[in-house]
Amino acid sequence: MVQFGKKACKHKERLSDKTLKEILRKLSARDIYFVDGCEITLRESTRGKFHNKGRERKKLDGRDVAPAIKLHVLYSYVKRTFTQIDITEAVADECQHVFAEELKGCVLIADRGYISEELEESLIRLGVKVIIKGRVNMVSGTIVEAYDENHNKLDEYKGKRYGDIKSRNDEFLDVTVQTGKSHQIRIVRMLNPNCKSTRKDTDEDAKKQEKEEGRYIYLRTNISMDELSIEKIFQMYRFRGTIEFLR
């Protein structure tokens, strides 16, 4: 284990101790962790001296990409410090560096680089609550239950594919899907307030150019509706944005 001082990152905002304790109590969790990967470009003179393959394509003039490494870090919100770090080639799969054993009985918040049904299943078996940012093209499966922005149950979509419901224009959409024989995951969707097509101060041409991917924010979680509402799930994910990691 590698320990880092609290100055290694900056909290733009902090939860009150009371709010943090209430969230942990509701989720029966002992901590909230953030996992992330940070790529660092190295000097050309380091090429070939150790594993430092960059993940970009070759340059247009045929030159190789710069050598690079990736830091995989785990940050504890309760302890206010980094608790784990791995150093790999920049091309390493982030899903292979999640420090799962340390996450037992905790909440893990991650970006879309950590989307993996296999990873989700393994974390859930360890008793980990996950909140992972997703993409619309990574959402599939059969709908088990669905709710609209007013928390009304949408029984007409039960048994249908997720693609049958994604065209709805609700500000919030809360859907549980079965993606495998035994794997169920909750997909919560929120209208993106920063998207050009949802902002009143943006011209119509810009709105038309906005792709569906940018219209909504998707999160994957195994936190039940009884534990946290869709609004609270998005508040939880925004915790990640209140911490400024080293870059």
Side-chain angles (χ1 to χ4, degrees):
M1 178 185 292
V2 179
Q3 289 285 348
F4 292 83
K6 295 181 180 180
K7 292 184 179 179
C9 67
K10 178 182 178 182
H11 287 253
K12 299 176 184 176
E13 301 175 21
R14 285 192 180 184
L15 289 174
S16 68
D17 290 341
K18 182 179 179 181
T19 301
L20 179 59
K21 287 179 180 178
E22 179 64 17
I23 290 172
L24 294 175
R25 183 191 64 79
K26 280 188 175 183
L27 299 178
S28 300
R30 58 183 176 84
D31 204 340
I32 300 171
Y33 280 96
F34 305 88
V35 66
D36 201 5
C38 175
E39 186 174 335
I40 300 175
T41 302
L42 304 178
R43 292 179 179 272
E44 184 63 33
S45 59
T46 67
R47 186 185 301 277
K49 294 185 178 179
F50 56 92
H51 298 296
N52 56 6
K53 184 178 180 181
R55 65 183 177 89
E56 300 177 4
R57 297 179 180 178
K58 283 190 173 184
K59 306 295 183 182
L60 294 177
D61 60 6
R63 290 179 299 153
D64 288 332
V65 299
I69 59 172
K70 182 177 285 187
L71 301 183
H72 306 269
V73 297
L74 188 67
Y75 179 84
S76 163
Y77 197 90
V78 171
K79 301 182 183 73
R80 301 284 201 267
T81 188
F82 293 100
T83 61
Q84 294 274 15
I85 183 171
D86 270 356
I87 302 176
T88 67
E89 291 182 306
V91 295
D93 183 359
E94 291 180 328
C95 292
Q96 302 299 317
H97 302 271
V98 179
F99 316 102
E101 289 299 318
E102 186 166 338
L103 298 172
K104 290 180 180 179
C106 297
V107 180
L108 176 67
I109 300 177
D111 66 15
R112 63 185 63 183
Y114 295 87
I115 298 175
S116 163
E117 188 171 320
E118 182 180 353
L119 175 61
E120 286 175 353
E121 290 181 343
S122 65
L123 290 172
I124 291 170
R125 283 196 297 269
L126 288 172
V128 181
K129 301 288 188 180
V130 301
I131 301 176
I132 304 175
K133 190 174 183 180
R135 293 188 181 97
V136 63
N137 61 355
M138 290 185 173
V139 179
S140 62
T142 303
I143 296 173
V144 177
E145 59 179 348
Y147 294 83
D148 66 13
E149 59 191 0
N150 297 313
H151 307 289
N152 297 314
K153 195 169 185 179
L154 303 171
D155 287 323
E156 65 270 28
Y157 289 100
K158 184 176 181 180
K160 294 186 178 181
R161 306 296 292 178
Y162 188 85
D164 296 325
I165 199 173
K166 71 178 184 180
S167 60
R168 291 180 62 96
N169 293 320
D170 302 70
E171 181 178 358
F172 291 99
L173 197 59
D174 197 339
V175 182
T176 299
V177 299
Q178 182 159 333
T179 61
K181 292 182 179 179
S182 60
H183 184 57
Q184 289 188 4
I185 197 74
R186 182 183 175 194
I187 309 294
V188 294
R189 189 190 77 177
M190 181 183 77
L191 198 64
N192 185 354
N194 297 318
C195 175
K196 293 177 183 178
S197 59
T198 62
R199 285 167 43 192
K200 294 181 180 180
D201 61 345
T202 305
D203 63 73
E204 290 302 317
D205 288 338
K207 290 181 179 181
K208 290 179 182 179
Q209 292 176 4
E210 187 74 30
K211 295 181 180 179
E212 181 183 2
E213 178 67 35
R215 280 183 56 81
Y216 298 101
I217 300 169
Y218 293 83
L219 299 179
R220 303 169 65 91
T221 184
N222 62 325
I223 297 173
S224 71
M225 298 178 188
D226 292 334
E227 291 173 313
L228 287 180
S229 67
I230 186 171
E231 294 87 353
K232 290 293 184 183
I233 293 292
F234 277 97
Q235 287 179 13
M236 285 280 288
Y237 184 78
R238 282 198 290 271
F239 293 170
R240 191 175 184 279
T242 67
I243 297 174
E244 196 171 89
F245 294 108
L246 281 176
R247 288 288 179 179

